[in-house]
Amino acid sequence: MTRVGFLPTACVVLAAVVAGLLFAPVFGVAPLILPLVVPAMAALAVTVLGSRRQAVVPWRPVLALLAGLLAIVETLLLPTTVAGIPTGETVRALATGATESWRLALQSTWPARPEPALMLFVPLLVLLACVLGVELLHRWGALPSLVPSFAVVVLSQCYSATTGSAAALAAVAYAGAAGTLLAATRADQATDERRRMSALLLTAPAVALTVVAAIVGALLPASEARYTLKDDQFAPLADSSMTSPLDELADRLTHPDTPVFTVDGSADVDRWPVVVLNDFDGVNWTPGSRYRRLGASLRPGPEVAVDVERRTAEIGRAELGGPWLPSQPLPAGVDGIDPLVEERQGSLLAPQASGPVRYTLSWWEPQVAGFALDGAAVDRSPAEELGGVGQVPPGVAELADRAVPVRPTFQSAVALERFLRDEYRLATGQNLPTGHSWPQLEEFLLKSKRGTSEQFAAAYVALARIKGIPARLVVGFRAPPDREPGGGYTVRNGDALAWPEVAVEGVGWVPLDPSGTAAAQSPGPARGLAAAAEAVRAELPPPDQLRDAPVAPAPVASSSDTAGGWSFPFWALLAVPLPVVPLWVAGVPLAKALRAWRRRRRPGVGAVIGAWEEARDRLRAYGVPVSAGMTVRDLTTAVAATDGATVDGLRSLGATVDFALWSGAGPASDSGRHAWAAVRAVRRGLGRRGLRARLRAALNPAPLRAPR
């Protein structure tokens, strides 16, 4: 064992502290500074003092560890002590922190609340890295002493990868500590001043290279982390049966005067969601289960690209008879209680609440104008979390086609809402319809055409998903029209409501109102998404004027359709030598065959688009007029008037194209095979026109260029 100076020891401790600060994305920087620096300084002081007495050296790691633990107690666990002296509660808190805090932090949204129960594992890890690193430094040298702190760095990146300027700053700090450590240990081992300077110069290139790499890393665009330990950790839910608020909806409406909760400070909110129901198997609607402890704050996800405004309201006397609490789609924070939150849905859960609760809710409200929603596309990214619709009864799919005759957009989602408002009526009185599975929805959609918001909302979501519109079912309450003098109000059972929400690209989930009852209760003009949706309703064209937008060409990574942009020089046929004629006869069919082969080999949805392009160009070769903006449905209509033999193939192709592009579920594994089977059916239908027509089509070079 060699005696090491103060500077190398301090560098080992500094490297461990820098490694601990890399947990900043989890807790923030400020909450970590004192819990990391104070224990590290205590361990450093005990180590330096203990190294001066040979009799204390064997006990040095134990004493440094005890000093660091005491510092952790005084900075994080002071409420568990008596006049600063640890108690049995302190020991239990330390033990729980060492075994459970790492898991609780993963089960929380980030930045997590800076509570000892969640963050205690970080100072414990740093303290252990300090003690082990110093002992390795005294026994094995500089490089082994950095192993414990580097292990903390790796673990922190498994929690949340640090990117950008923060990563560059951390790299520079860690490299500075490591470079100074190497230089100081080499200088301590040198016998004269010249060798000490040489040792310092030898470490300078490594430190400079690290600094340059950090700066370059900061300038490069940051990418999303591919892996985090958080992906597999969620807050455990009690294994108890919880009645769905959707099942309670009819009962609440029969007892309309019972108060549920009060609201202060947000008079213009039209709805208060309670729970989001994503999965539907044809019988039951079930909520999400990926709940986390709500951290210090919560930002909107990447699906919300528009500006947002933070709003706040006071919720009082909330007692819904279950664990769910009134919330908003994009909650920002909650004060007064520590709830769980379903990040993707905004639902709040208070599993420990045994009576009425009071809390302050903050949320983000997207700022969107109506004209921005009018032509907005639906967001297909939530398709994986939405689920399906179970076994659809006969006649319902045809009804969905009649209600939504165009491809999925927000405009078509509002058209479906209008269809339900116009064709169905709201049930009132005491004998209200109940149920939301397919037998009840079939009765509502095809027979009685009478229901509550429960049937309206469930039917809307089912029909929307059939047509490829990403929709989910929400149960909650509308804001009542009556207001108290201060602007607050009391929400009662009679305000219970179910409604659908549609995912819009760049905006998030937009609430709709197919039963027409949410807006009817609103005391004033709508704002936010409700106002934007109302603007789209006002400008919605009549059903017979709804039109599909043209299908955009699929992006292709390579120049696979080089021949598609080639314009054949017809005038050159008269001027070129005779040998060009055989080249034309062989080259045009070969170019078409090569292009078809390349289209068929495109990955994913590209193969489906390639099949549509191939069918379109084959029809062009036979003289069918085709324009650039025509859809498969338009082309089917045009061909049906002159050639019914190819209609079945085009209809099959159209269904495959619509499902792959607009269903929200993405292309199935066999979508490309089905699409090209439809192309073969179209080709067989065209082949019935005779040998002469087939030869003209094969030699026609016009389809080798894109349609105009």
Side-chain angles (χ1 to χ4, degrees), residues 492-588:
R492 305 179 185 277
N493 273 344
D495 300 314
L497 184 70
W499 66 87
E501 291 182 347
V502 173
V504 178
E505 195 171 273
V507 178
W509 293 97
V510 178
L512 295 177
D513 185 21
S515 63
T517 54
Q521 292 278 346
S522 179
R527 59 170 287 167
L529 294 179
E534 185 60 37
V536 176
R537 291 188 192 99
E539 299 295 330
L540 188 66
D544 57 349
Q545 295 182 17
L546 292 174
R547 293 289 184 269
D548 276 330
V551 177
V556 181
S558 62
S559 56
S560 58
D561 281 342
T562 305
W566 174 50
S567 178
F568 190 86
F570 295 97
W571 56 269
L573 291 177
L574 300 177
V576 295
L578 188 62
V580 174
V581 175
L583 293 178
W584 174 35
V585 173
V588 172

Side-chain angles (χ1 to χ4, degrees), residues 622-640:
Y622 278 85
V624 177
V626 177
S627 63
M630 293 183 71
T631 65
V632 184
R633 188 181 293 109
D634 297 333
L635 195 56
T636 304
T637 304
V639 172

Side-chain angles (χ1 to χ4, degrees), residues 318-329:
E319 187 174 19
L320 278 68
W324 287 286
L325 299 174
S327 180
Q328 287 295 317

Side-chain angles (χ1 to χ4, degrees), residues 30-47:
L32 288 172
I33 292 178
L34 281 180
L36 295 185
V37 173
V38 174
M41 294 298 293
L44 175 62
V46 170
T47 298

Side-chain angles (χ1 to χ4, degrees), residues 643-654:
D643 189 355
T646 61
V647 170
D648 291 339
L650 285 174
R651 285 175 177 169
S652 176
L653 178 61

Side-chain angles (χ1 to χ4, degrees), residues 309-325:
E309 176 186 347
R310 183 161 180 154
R311 305 191 62 199
T312 303
E314 188 83 14
I315 310 297
R317 300 199 303 272
E319 187 174 19
L320 278 68
W324 287 286
L325 299 174

Side-chain angles (χ1 to χ4, degrees), residues 658-686:
D658 284 346
F659 182 86
L661 291 181
W662 313 110
S663 68
S669 58
D670 58 348
S671 295
R673 181 171 57 84
H674 286 306
W676 282 94
V679 172
R680 289 192 292 273
V682 172
R683 186 177 60 192
R684 287 194 298 269
L686 293 173

